[in-house]
Structure formats: C-alpha cells, structure tokens
Amino acid sequence: MQIYLPIAELSINIFLLFGMGAGVGFLSGMFGVGGGFVMTPLLIFAGVPPAVAVGSAAHQLVASSVSAMLAHLRRGSVDLLMGAVMTVGGLAGSAIGSWIFGLLRRAGQVDLVISLSFVVFLGAMGTIMLFESAQVMLRGRDGMAPPRRKLHQHGWVHGLPFKIRFRKSRLYISALLPAGIGLGVGLLASIMGVGGGFIMVPAMIYLLGMPTQMVIGTSLLQIAFVTASVTFFHALNTQTVDVVLSMVLLTGSVIGAQLGVRAGVGMKGEHLRGLLGVLVVAVALGLAWGLVAAPADLFSLTTEAGT
Amino acid sequence: MRGRLLALACLCGLIGPGQVVLADTLATDISSHLVQISSSFTGTSLLVFGAVEAEGPGRRDVVVVLRGPERPVTVRRKEHRFGIWLNASATTYGGVPGFFAVATTRPLDQVAAPGELARHQLDIPYLRLEANTTTPDPAADADFRGALVRLKTAEGLYGGAALPVTFSAANLFRAEFRVPSNMPPGSYKVEAYLYRDGELVAAQSSPLFVDKSGLERRLFTLSRQRPAIYATVAIILAVAAGWLAAYVFRRP
C-alpha cells in the first residue's frame, strides 16, 4: 500500500516505512541509543530527499526522546539543571545549524554535507566502538579487569568561569562546558537529523565527569528539546519536516523499541557495543560508497519555488 | 461560438493577427478539469476530445499539448573532486514546464514546418528554457538542457510527441494522456491546434488544475503558508505521541 508524503512529494510503501521505524526502534531499544543516526541514512537509501530525511528524522526523535526521558524522570535519573544548561546551548546550536543548513541547501551542497558528516562521525564512532568491545572481550577472556578511571580529573576545564553547582550530579563546574557540548550536539542535530547521544554521552562521562546513571536521562532531556527546536527551525526555514513520514516512522519505532529492550536484556554489554559498532561502520561505509562510486547520473534537478 | 473561439485563440497569441483565418472550427474538452492528488494517488489518465468542423479541402491535423505549471529548475552536475563526487556546476532555467506531453495525428514534422512548431513550442526541442547564466557556454548549456529533458523524461513527466490523436468519426477526435503519480501540482494547460496543410487554422486552450487533496493538501499548504503553525503542531503531535508511548509501555 502506497502512502503519499506531502512534503517529500513522493509515494512510498507504508509497510516499508513502518518496518524501517520498527527496525530502528528495535535497535534503539536493544542498544539504548536514539537511532537517529540509522534513521536518516535509511530514509536516504529509501529515496527520501536527504534534507527531508533530516527534518523528519528529527521530528520523529522528539517523540522517542520524550517517551524515554519520561521513564528516566520517573526513576529520578535526570539532572534537570544540567539538562537545562545543555538545552540552552543546544537551542543556540540548532538555530545556527538550521541557518547553515538553509545556506547549504541553496548552494546545492546539503546532500553532500549530510552524507559527509555521517561518514566522518559514524566511521570514527563505529571504529572506536569496535576496538573497545574487542579489547573488553579479549581482556575478559584473559580474566583481567579493566583499569579503573579516576572519578575527577582536574585540568584546564576547571579554570573556566560561570561555575555552577549541579547537586544531582555532584559536580561544581563551569556552565560553559555543558552549554558548549549542548551547542555542538545541537549543530549536529540540525545538520544530520540525529539526537547526538552517541557524541553527548561519552562527552558527559569523560569531559564533565557526570555519574553514569545520570547521563542517559539527562542527555535525553536535552535531545527532546533540541530535536523539537530542530523540527521548528527546519519547518520554518526549509519546509523539510514531513509529518506524515515521521508519524508513520514513530508508530513503528515505539513498537520496535519495546521488542528491542526485551531482545537486549540477555546480551552482554561488550557484545551489544560490538554489534552496534558493526552496524555503525556498515552505515558509514554505505554512505561513503555513495560519495566515492561513480554516480549513475551526473546530473540532478531541483525545482525552485516561485515562478 | 466560432467567434468566441477565434477571439480566445487570438487572445492567447495562438493565432497571429496577420494570419488569414479560414473558416474551420475546433472545439475541445477534457474528461476532467481537476485532478486531485490524494494519499493513494497512483496517476490517472486524461481524455482530451473534440470536434473539427472542416470547411474546404486540405488535410487536417490535430495536435494536442498538455503543459504543466512553469517553474525555474536548477540543473546540477557532479564532478569528481578530492576523490568524491560532488555538485560542481549548476544552471537555473526559467519557464520549465513541470509536465509536457504531445499527441498528434501524424508525426510533427509532417504536420507543420519547424518554425511553426517552434512558435507554439509543440515539441520538447522547441521548449523555450531561459538560462540565467551570465556567461553562457554553448557546449555546457546543451549538456544541461539535455540532462533536464532526459531526467524529466525518466520521471515520466516529459513525453514529447509520442501519443496519437485518433479520429473516431470523420470529425470527432480524441487523445489520451497518461499522467504519473509524481505530476507536479499547479495550473496545467490543454492546448489543441488544428492545422490544414501545415497552416494553423484554429486553436483552443483550456485549463486543468492539479491539486493535492484532503489532508495532504492541508498539510502542504500549511507548511508553506504558515510554517510556524505547522512546526508548532508537529512538535505538539510528537510530544503527545511520546507521552502516550511512555504511558502505554510504562514499567510497573
């Protein structure tokens, strides 16, 4: 059954879309990641214009991050103050990112930049994940415990002004740091249509030194607001948010996520990370191939607005 | 009726004031003046039919053109740079019809002279596409034009003069146009031209509107005309959906 996407202006099989949503939801439930980094490339592979894929993936992420964040809020694993500071940075980042996105679109380079960003970020992240999980698996076989990290590392980071006490995370650090992380992730969110959890979570653990149990819930709070802001700016500036597309994806992903959580329960952390690493590298390679391989057609058309 | 048709044809610039207009008449209509693109739209066919009242001798030919809304279109060409393929050059053309198909009784070159075909843009090579480049390079321009037509043809939007106009009786003709699901919304024109021995003797133009219908149309219009409201509604929808999902799947 075909469904017409009014903003993407194309007809697509509704079961394919639903299946993509469910598949990505399954992954996000299983691995505990947002899944935006798979959603945007999948939509591009399915023929959705990259700019619309980004806007609609961001919109779909609003729903999934709100629902996951509420679960964390109930468990008390959200640092609201930290989340608010990161959100302020994220909102600024998404505004700047959306402006850049508009410029790139007019220059005809937005598809290239989307693909390049994915190749660079996913390639790097996937490789790191693969190495890490391989190391852990090898160490586990030798029966050695991983070396413990120091809880607090003092450095240039602690000399920054505007220090705030984050009670819930038991931190006294400059607000510029979480705001800066939020800004960077906001930029990524608006250009790639991802939540940015895959960058933000390590940054919060290693750069901010936040307690691990607070990290996911707090990052989800930021993601919920930032993806909402990305949705707003993209809908306003480039009209690339397809509500029909994102609502079908979202229905699939909600169901997929529940199944994914169940599937992931029995699996070891390093195996999950290894699998995720393989997936991330595969997506990056798929997009890289699209850039490197000689295109089937050198020419492309864009119908401009107006007369 | 005849007077009105001629007046209309003159008004549309189809018949120049200097031309001698003979007493032939042409009347046409379309099976539908409104095509609605709904969520399950998979294309449709449009029947253009009409009657020719021929007076005097000579071979009559009918050419029917279905022209889509004109928009500027940017053609981009990828080049291999820094090891990857990226859009390196572009040209924007104005007045590009979003859809173009022609039906004729005989091959166009037998219907009228090239000058005549060009005047009314009766085939793809005669489309007047204006490039906006400041320094036109004839070779590159030909490449870009060629690519534009080729891609539009591949999308099923440009048909050229490939369809037949058939006469079901001595003076009744019909032409069937197949329009694909990706036809761009907007104002279309159905133009019918009657030639007698290569000379234009009558012409008629009628409008056709293609519009998105139902929810799709409302969403599309809202997103373009009131993007802030569209964005706000989208966010509220997503937050509500997230809330609902969290409520339904909450762990006890």
PDB file of all heavy atoms in Angstrom, chain A residues 142-162:
ATOM      1  N   ASP A 142      41.084 -13.160  29.081  1.00  0.00           N
ATOM      2  CA  ASP A 142      42.288 -13.334  29.892  1.00  0.00           C
ATOM      3  C   ASP A 142      41.990 -13.227  31.381  1.00  0.00           C
ATOM      4  O   ASP A 142      42.872 -13.436  32.207  1.00  0.00           O
ATOM      5  CB  ASP A 142      43.338 -12.260  29.535  1.00  0.00           C
ATOM      6  CG  ASP A 142      43.768 -12.390  28.083  1.00  0.00           C
ATOM      7  OD1 ASP A 142      43.504 -13.455  27.499  1.00  0.00           O
ATOM      8  OD2 ASP A 142      44.323 -11.412  27.546  1.00  0.00           O
ATOM      9  N   GLY A 143      40.768 -12.877  31.718  1.00  0.00           N
ATOM     10  CA  GLY A 143      40.399 -12.791  33.117  1.00  0.00           C
ATOM     11  C   GLY A 143      40.927 -11.553  33.813  1.00  0.00           C
ATOM     12  O   GLY A 143      41.102 -11.545  35.024  1.00  0.00           O
ATOM     13  N   MET A 144      41.201 -10.499  33.044  1.00  0.00           N
ATOM     14  CA  MET A 144      41.719  -9.278  33.666  1.00  0.00           C
ATOM     15  C   MET A 144      40.621  -8.228  33.772  1.00  0.00           C
ATOM     16  O   MET A 144      39.776  -8.112  32.889  1.00  0.00           O
ATOM     17  CB  MET A 144      42.865  -8.694  32.822  1.00  0.00           C
ATOM     18  CG  MET A 144      44.233  -9.217  33.249  1.00  0.00           C
ATOM     19  SD  MET A 144      45.488  -8.960  31.988  1.00  0.00           S
ATOM     20  CE  MET A 144      45.158  -7.335  31.414  1.00  0.00           C
ATOM     21  N   ALA A 145      40.628  -7.455  34.836  1.00  0.00           N
ATOM     22  CA  ALA A 145      39.643  -6.396  34.999  1.00  0.00           C
ATOM     23  C   ALA A 145      40.123  -5.156  34.268  1.00  0.00           C
ATOM     24  O   ALA A 145      41.324  -4.892  34.226  1.00  0.00           O
ATOM     25  CB  ALA A 145      39.450  -6.082  36.478  1.00  0.00           C
ATOM     26  N   PRO A 146      39.233  -4.387  33.656  1.00  0.00           N
ATOM     27  CA  PRO A 146      39.665  -3.144  33.007  1.00  0.00           C
ATOM     28  C   PRO A 146      40.171  -2.155  34.043  1.00  0.00           C
ATOM     29  O   PRO A 146      39.676  -2.133  35.173  1.00  0.00           O
ATOM     30  CB  PRO A 146      38.385  -2.635  32.329  1.00  0.00           C
ATOM     31  CG  PRO A 146      37.256  -3.310  33.038  1.00  0.00           C
ATOM     32  CD  PRO A 146      37.784  -4.602  33.555  1.00  0.00           C
ATOM     33  N   PRO A 147      41.156  -1.344  33.659  1.00  0.00           N
ATOM     34  CA  PRO A 147      41.699  -0.385  34.643  1.00  0.00           C
ATOM     35  C   PRO A 147      40.647   0.639  35.038  1.00  0.00           C
ATOM     36  O   PRO A 147      39.865   1.082  34.216  1.00  0.00           O
ATOM     37  CB  PRO A 147      42.859   0.273  33.883  1.00  0.00           C
ATOM     38  CG  PRO A 147      42.535   0.094  32.434  1.00  0.00           C
ATOM     39  CD  PRO A 147      41.773  -1.186  32.331  1.00  0.00           C
ATOM     40  N   ARG A 148      40.632   1.016  36.328  1.00  0.00           N
ATOM     41  CA  ARG A 148      39.626   1.965  36.806  1.00  0.00           C
ATOM     42  C   ARG A 148      40.053   3.381  36.473  1.00  0.00           C
ATOM     43  O   ARG A 148      41.227   3.731  36.550  1.00  0.00           O
ATOM     44  CB  ARG A 148      39.470   1.815  38.322  1.00  0.00           C
ATOM     45  CG  ARG A 148      38.571   0.652  38.688  1.00  0.00           C
ATOM     46  CD  ARG A 148      38.199   0.772  40.151  1.00  0.00           C
ATOM     47  NE  ARG A 148      37.487   2.029  40.399  1.00  0.00           N
ATOM     48  CZ  ARG A 148      36.277   2.062  40.940  1.00  0.00           C
ATOM     49  NH1 ARG A 148      35.678   0.959  41.282  1.00  0.00           N
ATOM     50  NH2 ARG A 148      35.687   3.212  41.164  1.00  0.00           N
ATOM     51  N   ARG A 149      39.044   4.188  36.134  1.00  0.00           N
ATOM     52  CA  ARG A 149      39.324   5.577  35.855  1.00  0.00           C
ATOM     53  C   ARG A 149      39.197   6.394  37.123  1.00  0.00           C
ATOM     54  O   ARG A 149      38.410   6.050  38.006  1.00  0.00           O
ATOM     55  CB  ARG A 149      38.302   6.096  34.829  1.00  0.00           C
ATOM     56  CG  ARG A 149      38.884   6.474  33.496  1.00  0.00           C
ATOM     57  CD  ARG A 149      37.772   6.814  32.519  1.00  0.00           C
ATOM     58  NE  ARG A 149      36.528   7.181  33.167  1.00  0.00           N
ATOM     59  CZ  ARG A 149      36.245   8.407  33.601  1.00  0.00           C
ATOM     60  NH1 ARG A 149      37.117   9.375  33.454  1.00  0.00           N
ATOM     61  NH2 ARG A 149      35.087   8.644  34.166  1.00  0.00           N
ATOM     62  N   LYS A 150      39.950   7.494  37.173  1.00  0.00           N
ATOM     63  CA  LYS A 150      39.778   8.398  38.307  1.00  0.00           C
ATOM     64  C   LYS A 150      38.439   9.112  38.156  1.00  0.00           C
ATOM     65  O   LYS A 150      38.018   9.432  37.049  1.00  0.00           O
ATOM     66  CB  LYS A 150      40.901   9.444  38.317  1.00  0.00           C
ATOM     67  CG  LYS A 150      42.139   8.966  39.033  1.00  0.00           C
ATOM     68  CD  LYS A 150      43.003  10.130  39.488  1.00  0.00           C
ATOM     69  CE  LYS A 150      43.539  10.942  38.320  1.00  0.00           C
ATOM     70  NZ  LYS A 150      44.415  12.032  38.740  1.00  0.00           N
ATOM     71  N   LEU A 151      37.762   9.360  39.270  1.00  0.00           N
ATOM     72  CA  LEU A 151      36.446   9.998  39.209  1.00  0.00           C
ATOM     73  C   LEU A 151      36.576  11.448  38.759  1.00  0.00           C
ATOM     74  O   LEU A 151      35.813  11.944  37.953  1.00  0.00           O
ATOM     75  CB  LEU A 151      35.758   9.909  40.572  1.00  0.00           C
ATOM     76  CG  LEU A 151      34.305  10.334  40.581  1.00  0.00           C
ATOM     77  CD1 LEU A 151      33.487   9.450  39.649  1.00  0.00           C
ATOM     78  CD2 LEU A 151      33.739  10.284  41.983  1.00  0.00           C
ATOM     79  N   HIS A 152      37.550  12.165  39.311  1.00  0.00           N
ATOM     80  CA  HIS A 152      37.711  13.569  38.952  1.00  0.00           C
ATOM     81  C   HIS A 152      39.097  13.819  38.411  1.00  0.00           C
ATOM     82  O   HIS A 152      40.095  13.506  39.052  1.00  0.00           O
ATOM     83  CB  HIS A 152      37.496  14.468  40.175  1.00  0.00           C
ATOM     84  CG  HIS A 152      36.073  14.528  40.567  1.00  0.00           C
ATOM     85  ND1 HIS A 152      35.123  15.167  39.826  1.00  0.00           N
ATOM     86  CD2 HIS A 152      35.425  14.002  41.626  1.00  0.00           C
ATOM     87  CE1 HIS A 152      33.946  15.045  40.401  1.00  0.00           C
ATOM     88  NE2 HIS A 152      34.097  14.326  41.506  1.00  0.00           N
ATOM     89  N   GLN A 153      39.126  14.364  37.199  1.00  0.00           N
ATOM     90  CA  GLN A 153      40.404  14.748  36.637  1.00  0.00           C
ATOM     91  C   GLN A 153      40.414  16.261  36.528  1.00  0.00           C
ATOM     92  O   GLN A 153      39.520  16.833  35.894  1.00  0.00           O
ATOM     93  CB  GLN A 153      40.607  14.106  35.257  1.00  0.00           C
ATOM     94  CG  GLN A 153      40.966  12.636  35.369  1.00  0.00           C
ATOM     95  CD  GLN A 153      40.665  11.872  34.095  1.00  0.00           C
ATOM     96  OE1 GLN A 153      39.701  12.136  33.415  1.00  0.00           O
ATOM     97  NE2 GLN A 153      41.508  10.909  33.789  1.00  0.00           N
ATOM     98  N   HIS A 154      41.366  16.908  37.184  1.00  0.00           N
ATOM     99  CA  HIS A 154      41.402  18.357  37.127  1.00  0.00           C
ATOM    100  C   HIS A 154      42.291  18.812  35.990  1.00  0.00           C
ATOM    101  O   HIS A 154      43.345  18.250  35.769  1.00  0.00           O
ATOM    102  CB  HIS A 154      41.894  18.921  38.463  1.00  0.00           C
ATOM    103  CG  HIS A 154      40.825  18.884  39.497  1.00  0.00           C
ATOM    104  ND1 HIS A 154      40.076  19.973  39.824  1.00  0.00           N
ATOM    105  CD2 HIS A 154      40.351  17.854  40.238  1.00  0.00           C
ATOM    106  CE1 HIS A 154      39.189  19.627  40.739  1.00  0.00           C
ATOM    107  NE2 HIS A 154      39.337  18.347  41.014  1.00  0.00           N
ATOM    108  N   GLY A 155      41.838  19.827  35.277  1.00  0.00           N
ATOM    109  CA  GLY A 155      42.640  20.345  34.180  1.00  0.00           C
ATOM    110  C   GLY A 155      42.159  21.727  33.813  1.00  0.00           C
ATOM    111  O   GLY A 155      41.541  22.407  34.626  1.00  0.00           O
ATOM    112  N   TRP A 156      42.377  22.127  32.577  1.00  0.00           N
ATOM    113  CA  TRP A 156      42.009  23.462  32.112  1.00  0.00           C
ATOM    114  C   TRP A 156      40.508  23.675  32.241  1.00  0.00           C
ATOM    115  O   TRP A 156      40.032  24.799  32.432  1.00  0.00           O
ATOM    116  CB  TRP A 156      42.439  23.647  30.660  1.00  0.00           C
ATOM    117  CG  TRP A 156      41.805  22.637  29.712  1.00  0.00           C
ATOM    118  CD1 TRP A 156      42.293  21.418  29.401  1.00  0.00           C
ATOM    119  CD2 TRP A 156      40.579  22.795  29.016  1.00  0.00           C
ATOM    120  NE1 TRP A 156      41.454  20.784  28.535  1.00  0.00           N
ATOM    121  CE2 TRP A 156      40.404  21.598  28.281  1.00  0.00           C
ATOM    122  CE3 TRP A 156      39.615  23.804  28.925  1.00  0.00           C
ATOM    123  CZ2 TRP A 156      39.284  21.397  27.466  1.00  0.00           C
ATOM    124  CZ3 TRP A 156      38.509  23.610  28.108  1.00  0.00           C
ATOM    125  CH2 TRP A 156      38.339  22.403  27.392  1.00  0.00           C
ATOM    126  N   VAL A 157      39.776  22.586  32.168  1.00  0.00           N
ATOM    127  CA  VAL A 157      38.333  22.629  32.224  1.00  0.00           C
ATOM    128  C   VAL A 157      37.839  23.303  33.500  1.00  0.00           C
ATOM    129  O   VAL A 157      36.847  24.020  33.510  1.00  0.00           O
ATOM    130  CB  VAL A 157      37.822  21.170  32.130  1.00  0.00           C
ATOM    131  CG1 VAL A 157      36.451  21.020  32.731  1.00  0.00           C
ATOM    132  CG2 VAL A 157      37.853  20.712  30.683  1.00  0.00           C
ATOM    133  N   HIS A 158      38.574  23.110  34.586  1.00  0.00           N
ATOM    134  CA  HIS A 158      38.108  23.631  35.866  1.00  0.00           C
ATOM    135  C   HIS A 158      38.494  25.071  36.094  1.00  0.00           C
ATOM    136  O   HIS A 158      38.141  25.659  37.102  1.00  0.00           O
ATOM    137  CB  HIS A 158      38.611  22.717  36.993  1.00  0.00           C
ATOM    138  CG  HIS A 158      38.004  21.358  36.905  1.00  0.00           C
ATOM    139  ND1 HIS A 158      36.923  20.979  37.655  1.00  0.00           N
ATOM    140  CD2 HIS A 158      38.286  20.312  36.097  1.00  0.00           C
ATOM    141  CE1 HIS A 158      36.577  19.742  37.317  1.00  0.00           C
ATOM    142  NE2 HIS A 158      37.398  19.316  36.377  1.00  0.00           N
ATOM    143  N   GLY A 159      39.226  25.650  35.133  1.00  0.00           N
ATOM    144  CA  GLY A 159      39.567  27.062  35.264  1.00  0.00           C
ATOM    145  C   GLY A 159      38.560  27.974  34.592  1.00  0.00           C
ATOM    146  O   GLY A 159      38.682  29.192  34.654  1.00  0.00           O
ATOM    147  N   LEU A 160      37.542  27.423  33.945  1.00  0.00           N
ATOM    148  CA  LEU A 160      36.570  28.240  33.213  1.00  0.00           C
ATOM    149  C   LEU A 160      35.629  28.969  34.177  1.00  0.00           C
ATOM    150  O   LEU A 160      35.347  28.473  35.259  1.00  0.00           O
ATOM    151  CB  LEU A 160      35.748  27.343  32.286  1.00  0.00           C
ATOM    152  CG  LEU A 160      36.479  26.785  31.056  1.00  0.00           C
ATOM    153  CD1 LEU A 160      35.618  25.745  30.368  1.00  0.00           C
ATOM    154  CD2 LEU A 160      36.854  27.885  30.098  1.00  0.00           C
ATOM    155  N   PRO A 161      35.142  30.181  33.741  1.00  0.00           N
ATOM    156  CA  PRO A 161      34.240  30.943  34.624  1.00  0.00           C
ATOM    157  C   PRO A 161      32.816  30.389  34.635  1.00  0.00           C
ATOM    158  O   PRO A 161      32.542  29.381  34.010  1.00  0.00           O
ATOM    159  CB  PRO A 161      34.282  32.339  34.011  1.00  0.00           C
ATOM    160  CG  PRO A 161      34.579  32.112  32.567  1.00  0.00           C
ATOM    161  CD  PRO A 161      35.437  30.877  32.497  1.00  0.00           C
ATOM    162  N   PHE A 162      31.907  31.109  35.300  1.00  0.00           N
ATOM    163  CA  PHE A 162      30.476  30.773  35.432  1.00  0.00           C
ATOM    164  C   PHE A 162      30.277  29.386  36.039  1.00  0.00           C
ATOM    165  O   PHE A 162      29.569  28.549  35.500  1.00  0.00           O
ATOM    166  CB  PHE A 162      29.745  30.849  34.074  1.00  0.00           C
ATOM    167  CG  PHE A 162      29.936  32.152  33.365  1.00  0.00           C
ATOM    168  CD1 PHE A 162      30.634  32.216  32.166  1.00  0.00           C
ATOM    169  CD2 PHE A 162      29.426  33.334  33.903  1.00  0.00           C
ATOM    170  CE1 PHE A 162      30.820  33.418  31.511  1.00  0.00           C
ATOM    171  CE2 PHE A 162      29.601  34.545  33.246  1.00  0.00           C
ATOM    172  CZ  PHE A 162      30.304  34.584  32.056  1.00  0.00           C
TER     173      PHE A 162
END
